[in-house]
Amino acid sequence: QRTPPLIEALESLDSLKITTAILKETGVGKVVRDLKKSRSNDEDPVRMKAKLLVKKWKAIVEEEQKKEG
């Protein structure tokens, strides 16, 4: 069974080294967040993957903010 394209795209994003600057410049965080919100079923694999990605990126942003003081 073939992996859905949205899942493939989210997995590709997950493999990238993301920084706060990249998130701000590209707006990709907002797109992924909106994708997560657009899926009403909590069990939807796209929603679940997007949710994990948003959580991961939020942690990266918080960590960078701590380092900046």
Side-chain angles (χ1 to χ4, degrees):
Q1 188 175 355
R2 191 167 187 284
T3 305
L6 280 175
I7 296 289
E8 287 181 357
L10 291 169
E11 287 174 350
S12 292
L13 287 170
D14 193 18
S15 70
L16 299 175
K17 180 168 173 30
I18 295 292
T19 63
T20 302
I22 291 170
L23 291 171
K24 285 181 181 179
E25 288 173 26
T26 64
V28 71
K30 292 177 184 178
V31 173
V32 173
R33 181 198 64 210
D34 290 347
L35 178 62
K36 177 188 79 166
K37 289 181 178 183
S38 73
R39 303 293 182 128
S40 58
N41 180 355
D42 285 341
E43 301 300 316
D44 183 304
V46 172
R47 180 185 171 107
M48 292 167 56
K49 185 66 180 173
K51 185 177 180 178
L52 288 172
L53 206 47
V54 168
K55 186 176 180 178
K56 176 181 175 180
W57 291 347
K58 280 185 179 181
I60 289 169
V61 169
E62 288 172 6
E63 188 63 33
E64 287 184 11
Q65 288 174 341
K66 283 181 189 176
K67 287 180 182 176
E68 291 173 5

